[in-house]
Amino acid sequence: QVQVVESGGGSVQPGGSLRLSCAASGSKFSIYGMGWYRQYVGNRREMVATITSGGSPDYADPVKGRFTISRDIGKNTIALQMNNLKPEDTGVYYCRAEEVRRVAEVFEYWGQGTHVTVSS
């Protein structure tokens, strides 16, 4: 079973920065994609930023130019550098890891979430 653990959340003022970290451990198979997802009002969970094992990133439009996702491939860890934070960035951020056991056999694992609050 893969364990996904996030850290780094907190409370900051608008314009401030946070760095979220996530580690996926316990996998006997390759971890392909990892990313950060935000829990929105109404229990919606939407992609914020993702990165493949090859280092290809993808970002949601509202965070482009402000957030940067990075990955240590060998350690199956990712980080999200969140700069110029805005109140609308407030929410619970979850780390997701994709475990590829075989071709076309992908399992997803989620962390417990880390809270980000942006307010003055």
Side-chain angles (χ1 to χ4, degrees), residues 5-85:
V5 179
E6 309 104 327
S7 63
S11 182
V12 297
Q13 293 182 321
S17 298
L18 286 173
R19 184 176 177 86
L20 308 184
S21 298
C22 171
S25 61
S27 176
K28 300 294 185 180
F29 306 89
S30 62
I31 300 296
Y32 178 69
M34 297 184 70
W36 294 96
Y37 294 74
R38 177 184 164 185
Q39 187 77 52
Y40 290 87
V41 174
N43 295 323
R44 293 181 296 112
R45 189 175 294 183
E46 298 181 358
M47 185 271 284
V48 176
T50 60
I51 188 166
T52 68
S53 60
S56 298
D58 193 20
Y59 299 94
D61 287 340
V63 308
K64 289 181 178 178
R66 298 188 298 119
F67 293 5
T68 302
I69 188 170
S70 60
R71 178 171 180 172
D72 186 321
I73 305 299
K75 296 181 179 180
N76 289 323
T77 62
I78 59 170
L80 185 68
Q81 181 64 46
M82 309 165 72
N83 296 327
N84 192 24
L85 283 161

